[in-house]
């Protein structure tokens, strides 16, 4: 469905700060895949998402979606079929607007006209959808989103993203900024949405156990390369220890990241 | 006197609504206003002296302002320059353009020209009096503009504008091209400013290229004064307080002009007074717990 061909990303080309962040990345994402991605800090995971979503253009290589080369399509165009949730809960919603207005802006992707589309029927629909989150937001639809907690806000972002049923969902450590209780609540909701709508998902996480427990496929990145791509039985039989050992065997060094080891 | 203050407040209040749209809703500090205000005045004056239908002339002024504002947004979008610089560029270029619009002069008197306001005055003379007629006329005009603007902010596009001023990434994620939203938003803002300029020219009886000097700063002062009157997150009240702020500003300036000589103020000091008003507002805002930034209304 989505294919990356020989993606290279170089920041600061021609300067002393030249940084080769993605190196010849090839990846085929199949419909229905739930891919978890782990890798040390600075491995290039977020940059990979930026390239897929169109936020950054790669230095070379191609992004192909449904056999069409979209490498040069701007981010807002790709947003019609790619949904993305960031680590920062503030990025997904507008804090100065009410919950229902936020949902309205998210409801149908693409350019918005001079229609006034928030009517009773829409509100009822939004209320139903909010109930589904099970965090009582349905009673606060007129409240500004800025008044919600990070966890509530991220749950709302998840719901808003789902409203448009994107073909690919990108989750970039979307629970990392939340406290443990909210993090597990949002993760629970994420699983629920993925099950319900059969989304194709890529999820970056620093929690190796999460990466093993979730999804059907696991990628490990290091220094701009995908160094491990496992699925099925091979993935299911992994443990955190065997994953770390695997990393060591491939890269001949220790898996180093400040956040991973104890989680 | 009081009627005069209110009428001026209403005329300049239209401009303040434009400034509110760019500075507060879009979070796009736009200085083109100093050029689009006299642009609106010049276009209106030249259309009227040319004998164009008055309503049509107003529409042409609005369109001219809209296009100029749109150009500011395009400069910002395509060249990646900050909105402030883009606005200064447009404003500077407009100075020359405005002279051309006026037929290679800096000033065009409207004394013997039939304008919207002369008709209102004539109508008033025969009935309720000139001043009252002007007052009622401008209350109606500004009310219509305000209500249309309120309505606009409830449309999908209007809501998207509010969202963009807060979080540009969000509207990109919703598949909206932020460049397009900026062009429309800054265009609309300057269209309002041009209408304000068009009425100002008719009110004063001339169009002048220097009419716009420092006008954006006074517009900002009006918006900020309004923010002190009351806080709300309902769009209808937000636009209302902009208009009230404009009237308040005109009142302060009036007293500065007429009673200022007691403390040795001259009309030349009014710009200083405007600047100090803004600085005072900024200081007070800093010490206010509640953020006075634009807040989106609840839609019910
Ligand atoms: N816009 C940019 N300009 C310059 N360098 C960048 C830019 N974005 C990322 N980088 C660099 O690219 C490298 C990879 O960054 P990236 O954010 O993709 O890592 P990551 O795998 O997501 O790390 P983390 O786990 O810390 O989130 C880093 O060295 C970073 O400094
Ligand atoms: Mg990252």
């Amino acid at each position: 469905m989505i294919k990356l061909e020989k993606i290279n990303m170089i920041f600061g080309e021609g300067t002393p700060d030249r940084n080769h962040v993605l190196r010849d990345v090839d990846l085929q994402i199949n419909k229905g895949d739930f891919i978890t991605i782990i890798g040390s800090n600075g491995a290039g995971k977020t940059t990979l998402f930026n390239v897929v979503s169109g936020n950054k253009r790669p230095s070379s290589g191609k992004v192909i979606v449904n056999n069409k080369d979209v490498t040069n399509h701007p981010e807002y165009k790709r947003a019609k079929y790619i949904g993305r949730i960031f680590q920062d809960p503030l990025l997904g919603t507008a804090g100065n607007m009410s919950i229902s207005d936020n949902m309205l802006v998210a409801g149908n992707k693409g350019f918005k006209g001079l229609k006034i589309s928030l009517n009773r029927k829409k509100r009822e629909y939004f209320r139903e959808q909010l109930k589904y989150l099970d965090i009582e937001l349905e009673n606060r639809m007129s409240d500004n989103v800025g008044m919600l907690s990070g966890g509530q806000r991220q749950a709302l972002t998840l719901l808003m993203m789902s409203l448009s049923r994107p073909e690919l969902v990108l989750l970039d450590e979307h629970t990392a900024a939340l406290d443990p209780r909210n993090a597990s609540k949002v993760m629970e909701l994420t699983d629920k949405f993925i099950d319900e709508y059969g989304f194709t998902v890529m999820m970056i996480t620093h929690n190796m156990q999460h990466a093993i427990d979730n999804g059907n496929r696991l990628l490990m990145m290091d220094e701009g390369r995908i160094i491990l791509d496992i699925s099925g039985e091979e993935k299911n039989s992994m443990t955190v220890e065997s994953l770390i050992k695997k990393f060591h065997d491939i890269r001949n060094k220790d898996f180093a990241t400040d956040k991973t080891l104890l989680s | 006197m009081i009627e005069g203050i209110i009428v001026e407040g209403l005329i300049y209040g239209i401009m303040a609504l434009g400034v509110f749209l760019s500075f507060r809703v879009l979070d796009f500090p736009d200085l083109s206003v100093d050029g689009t205000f006299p642009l609106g005045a010049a276009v209106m004056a030249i259309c009227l002296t040319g004998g164009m239908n008055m309503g049509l002339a107003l529409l042409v002024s609005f369109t001219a302002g809209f296009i100029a504002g749109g150009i500011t947004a395009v400069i910002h979008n395509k060249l990646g320059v900050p909105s402030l610089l883009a606005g200064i560029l447009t404003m500077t270029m407009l100075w020359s353009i405005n002279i051309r619009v006026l037929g290679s002069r800096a000033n065009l008197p409207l004394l013997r020209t039939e304008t919207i306001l002369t008709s209102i005055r004539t109508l008033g003379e025969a009935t309720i009096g000139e001043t009252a007629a002007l007052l009622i006329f401008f209350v109606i005009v500004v009310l219509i503009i305000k209500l249309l603007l309120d309505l606009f902010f409830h449309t999908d596009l209007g809501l998207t504008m509010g969202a963009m001023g807060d979080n540009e990434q969000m509207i990109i994620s919703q598949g909206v091209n932020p460049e397009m939203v900026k062009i429309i938003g800054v265009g609309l803002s300057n269209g309002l400013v041009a209408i304000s300029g068009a009425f100002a020219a008719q009110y004063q009886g001339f169009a002048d290229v220097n009419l716009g000097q420092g006008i954006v700063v006074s517009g900002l002062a009006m918006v900020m004064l309004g923010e002190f009157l009351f806080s709300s997150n309902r769009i209808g009240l937000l636009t209302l307080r902009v208009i009230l702020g404009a009237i308040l500003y005109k009142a302060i300036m009036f007293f500065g002009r007429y009673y200022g000589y007691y403390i040795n103020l001259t009309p030349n000091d009014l710009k200083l007074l405007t600047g100090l008003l803004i600085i005072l507002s900024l200081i007070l805002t800093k010490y206010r717990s509640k953020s006075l930034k634009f807040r989106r209304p609840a839609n019910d």
Side-chain angles (χ1 to χ4, degrees):
Chain A
M1 181 179 79
I2 295 182
K3 220 160 71 187
L4 302 183
E5 283 179 13
K6 260 193 156 354
I7 298 283
N8 278 282
M9 188 72 184
I10 302 168
F11 290 113
E13 181 68 279
T15 72
D17 296 329
R18 183 180 190 276
N19 191 357
H20 199 155
V21 175
L22 292 176
R23 295 164 187 265
D24 289 335
V25 172
D26 287 308
L27 183 67
Q28 162 92 39
I29 305 159
N30 302 310
K31 198 167 166 49
D33 264 353
F34 182 173
I35 303 173
T36 57
I37 304 173
I38 54 173
S40 32
N41 293 118
K45 307 179 293 295
T46 298
T47 306
L48 183 72
F49 274 18
N50 282 338
V51 167
V52 173
S53 71
N55 180 283
K56 297 240 151 55
R57 239 155 255 185
S59 309
S60 68
K62 278 187 192 155
V63 181
I64 313 249
V65 175
N66 295 330
N67 300 320
K68 209 163 113 201
D69 185 347
V70 300
T71 318
N72 291 319
H73 288 194
E75 184 176 13
Y76 77 88
K77 276 194 183 148
R78 283 193 231 176
K80 285 174 194 155
Y81 49 87
I82 297 178
R84 182 173 186 188
I85 301 188
F86 299 87
Q87 180 173 341
D88 181 356
L90 303 184
L91 282 179
T93 44
N96 63 354
M97 282 169 48
S98 67
I99 294 182
S100 45
D101 287 350
N102 265 280
M103 293 179 77
L104 195 83
V105 174
N108 50 338
K109 289 204 175 179
F111 190 75
K112 309 290 192 289
L114 286 174
K115 263 195 342 263
I116 296 186
S117 29
L118 192 62
N119 50 30
R120 179 156 332 126
K121 211 171 123 213
K122 262 253 151 77
R123 281 184 71 81
E124 241 2 90
Y125 172 67
F126 288 163
R127 194 184 305 281
E128 284 311 309
Q129 295 290 314
L130 286 167
K131 271 191 196 145
Y132 188 75
L133 292 181
D134 201 18
I135 47 176
E136 276 159 28
L137 289 184
E138 65 273 16
N139 303 322
R140 303 178 58 184
M141 287 174 66
S142 304
D143 281 1
N144 277 356
V145 167
M147 293 161 69
L148 305 183
S149 74
Q152 290 170 327
R153 218 163 151 164
Q154 205 66 321
L156 179 63
T157 307
L158 199 62
L159 177 63
M160 282 165 49
M161 183 210 64
S162 308
L163 285 178
S164 67
R165 310 278 187 271
E167 286 183 50
L168 175 67
V169 172
L170 302 175
L171 306 170
D172 191 347
E173 299 189 60
H174 69 305
T175 63
L178 309 176
D179 64 72
R181 206 171 50 88
N182 273 314
S184 66
K185 173 76 198 173
V186 169
M187 198 53 227
E188 199 183 292
L189 283 170
T190 308
D191 286 334
K192 196 165 142 183
F193 278 109
I194 293 172
D195 271 358
E196 174 98 13
Y197 302 119
F199 286 141
T200 305
V201 183
M202 294 173 87
M203 179 174 86
I204 298 173
T205 173
H206 266 102
N207 187 321
M208 286 197 163
Q209 196 60 54
H210 270 171
I212 295 168
D213 294 345
N214 287 290
N216 64 327
R217 190 170 160 195
L218 185 150
L219 302 184
M220 191 187 258
M221 287 187 70
D222 189 49
E223 291 179 6
R225 289 198 173 83
I226 295 172
I227 55 167
L228 186 70
D229 180 352
I230 53 175
S231 51
E233 199 40 49
E234 193 184 6
K235 167 175 177 291
N236 292 337
S237 61
M238 275 289 169
T239 62
V240 174
E241 289 74 33
S242 60
L243 212 50
I244 291 174
K245 183 170 178 304
K246 194 118 194 166
F247 177 87
H248 187 87
D249 293 347
I250 300 170
R251 301 297 289 175
N252 208 7
K253 65 178 185 188
D254 284 333
F255 190 90
T257 149
D258 38 7
K259 291 188 257 176
T260 328
L261 290 173
L262 293 174
S263 50
Chain B
M1 178 193 89
I2 181 98
E3 293 93 339
I5 292 176
I6 297 179
V7 165
E8 277 194 32
L10 290 170
I11 293 175
Y12 284 80
I14 304 173
M15 180 271 300
L17 284 171
V19 170
F20 166 76
L21 174 55
S22 57
F23 276 68
R24 288 296 193 249
V25 180
L26 292 167
D27 199 13
F28 187 109
D30 169 37
L31 303 186
S32 342
V33 174
D34 273 23
T36 48
F37 188 82
L39 174 68
V43 171
M44 189 75 193
I46 212 72
C47 287
L48 286 180
T49 49
M52 188 188 274
N53 171 290
M54 296 178 197
L56 192 61
L58 202 59
L59 190 68
V60 176
S61 296
F62 173 83
T63 311
F66 191 102
I67 292 171
I71 288 173
T72 302
V74 170
I75 294 173
H76 162 80
N77 290 338
K78 294 300 173 203
L79 302 181
V81 297
S83 50
L84 281 173
L85 179 56
I88 290 175
L89 283 172
T90 305
M91 171 187 107
T92 308
M93 294 188 292
L94 278 177
W95 196 84
S96 304
I97 289 176
N98 289 340
I99 288 183
R100 281 199 177 267
V101 170
L102 285 178
S104 298
R105 36 186 170 197
N107 185 295
L108 182 62
L110 288 170
L111 290 179
R112 268 180 294 280
T113 313
E114 179 90 359
T115 72
I116 301 178
L117 297 194
T118 52
S119 346
I120 299 291
R121 282 194 173 108
T122 327
L123 201 71
E125 261 170 13
T127 49
I128 49 175
E130 256 183 58
T131 353
L134 278 182
L135 186 61
I136 293 175
F137 172 72
F138 277 114
V139 166
I140 294 173
V141 167
V142 172
L143 206 62
I144 291 175
I145 292 177
K146 176 206 162 352
L147 290 176
L148 283 176
L149 206 54
D150 292 349
L151 203 61
F152 172 74
F153 282 122
H154 282 95
T155 63
D156 295 356
L157 179 59
L159 286 171
T160 307
M161 258 179 210
M164 192 191 67
D166 190 46
N167 184 351
E168 192 164 330
Q169 178 63 50
M170 173 197 166
I171 71 146
I172 293 174
S173 301
Q174 303 315 329
V176 179
N177 183 355
E179 298 189 351
M180 201 60 204
V181 178
K182 283 181 191 167
I183 291 174
I184 297 173
V186 180
L188 189 58
S189 159
N190 283 286
L192 289 171
V193 171
I195 287 187
S196 176
F199 278 122
Q202 298 173 67
Y203 187 71
Q204 298 177 348
F206 62 87
D208 191 296
V209 285
N210 295 317
L211 215 52
Q213 228 185 54
I215 205 99
V216 65
V217 179
S218 56
L220 195 58
M222 292 169 183
V223 171
M224 293 174 98
L225 280 175
E227 285 166 352
F228 278 100
L229 296 179
F230 51 87
S231 40
S232 167
N233 72 346
R234 299 195 157 264
I235 191 66
L237 292 176
L238 291 184
T239 49
L240 177 67
R241 77 181 185 188
V242 172
I243 296 163
L244 295 178
I247 295 172
L248 183 59
Y249 173 85
K250 280 294 170 187
I252 294 176
M253 287 301 132
F254 178 85
F255 286 108
R257 203 175 312 144
Y258 285 90
Y259 300 104
Y261 68 88
Y262 289 117
I263 51 167
N264 266 332
L265 276 184
T266 73
N268 296 332
D269 293 321
L270 291 181
K271 283 208 199 292
L272 181 65
L273 190 61
T274 306
L276 290 176
L277 266 178
I278 292 185
I279 291 173
L280 186 71
S281 307
L282 288 170
I283 293 172
L284 290 176
T285 312
K286 236 181 126 151
Y287 291 103
R288 267 208 181 181
S289 52
K290 261 190 206 152
S291 156
L292 289 170
K293 245 197 92 115
F294 174 78
R295 274 169 206 270
R296 283 294 318 157
N299 229 337
D300 49 2

